[in-house]
Amino acid sequence: MASMNRYHQWLCNSRMWARAVEHDLLPWALDGISLGAETLEIGPGYGATTSVLARRDGVRLSVLEVDETSAQRLRARYGDRVDVLHGDGCAMPLPDGHFDAVVCFTMLHHVPSPQQQDQLFAEAFRVLRPGGLFAGCDGRAGLGFRLIHLRDTYVPLPPETLPPRLTTAGFRTPQITLRKDYFRFRTTRP
């Protein structure tokens, strides 16, 4: 993963991170929401979030990973339990209106520019069915978060800018919840 330094790669591929994702981050990010039958995860990276999502009952999970090597690793790990696609979240090789839910976790800050983040939001809107959910979480900018990302692609997304950006992409009533080091979001396609 060229957009991540070696320490960050190690951290995101560690058992410590996988446990934090399973027991804290995803339960908080997805609290009170249902994903629906067809769910797309954008940017699964090493698959810590995918591992948790793949165990949810009634969810057919597809993941879209920009890094080809990571996509190959995920295919080898999940076989046909998860549909692993190689592609860019800013130009998804997916049909319009196919998914009930689109999710992304701790990856938006790796999208190289605010304009490309906005393209990703527009693409998430495009591939969702009417009434579909777009949800996820990301880290909040701060010294510790910055230090983990030295020599990474690092474009933190200020959570207060997210509601108007999601509305511009077509979503309605975006909700943002803040925590010390993270924020979560959820919104729907009308």
Side-chain angles (χ1 to χ4, degrees), residues 38-55:
E38 292 285 338
T39 296
L40 171 67
E41 179 186 13
I42 305 169
Y46 289 102
T49 51
T50 305
S51 179
V52 176
L53 295 170
R55 294 191 305 260

Side-chain angles (χ1 to χ4, degrees), residues 1-149:
M1 287 192 171
S3 69
M4 294 172 69
N5 66 49
R6 287 195 184 272
Y7 172 74
H8 196 177
Q9 290 174 12
W10 171 84
L11 179 64
C12 290
N13 199 27
S14 71
R15 297 187 112 190
M16 176 182 65
W17 177 246
R19 281 192 301 272
V21 163
E22 181 173 7
H23 298 293
D24 181 44
L25 193 64
L26 254 58
W28 175 72
L30 297 175
D31 183 42
I33 59 176
S34 174
L35 295 181
E38 292 285 338
T39 296
L40 171 67
E41 179 186 13
I42 305 169
Y46 289 102
T49 51
T50 305
S51 179
V52 176
L53 295 170
R55 294 191 305 260
R56 291 178 79 110
D57 289 334
V59 172
R60 178 167 152 52
L61 182 62
S62 299
V63 299
L64 180 67
E65 174 55 45
V66 71
D67 181 74
E68 175 124 25
T69 302
S70 294
Q72 290 171 355
R73 272 192 227 117
L74 291 167
R75 277 189 205 101
R77 181 176 176 184
Y78 293 105
D80 38 336
R81 289 185 303 139
V82 174
D83 185 19
V84 178
L85 306 164
H86 172 245
D88 186 342
C90 299
M92 295 185 202
L94 297 164
D96 294 356
H98 181 75
F99 294 97
D100 298 303
V102 173
V103 294
C104 58
F105 306 101
T106 67
M107 58 71 66
L108 290 170
H109 61 276
H110 286 292
V111 177
S113 71
Q115 294 77 18
Q116 287 171 298
Q117 291 169 348
D118 290 341
Q119 285 177 296
L120 186 144
F121 302 150
E123 282 291 280
F125 182 87
R126 180 184 67 77
V127 301
L128 276 170
R129 293 182 176 126
L133 171 74
F134 181 39
C137 65
D138 208 69
R140 296 178 68 185
L143 181 59
F145 197 50
R146 178 66 195 126
L147 290 174
I148 291 171
H149 292 83

Side-chain angles (χ1 to χ4, degrees), residues 146-160:
R146 178 66 195 126
L147 290 174
I148 291 171
H149 292 83
L150 288 176
R151 291 187 222 103
D152 278 7
T153 299
Y154 175 68
V155 182
L157 196 153
E160 65 275 6

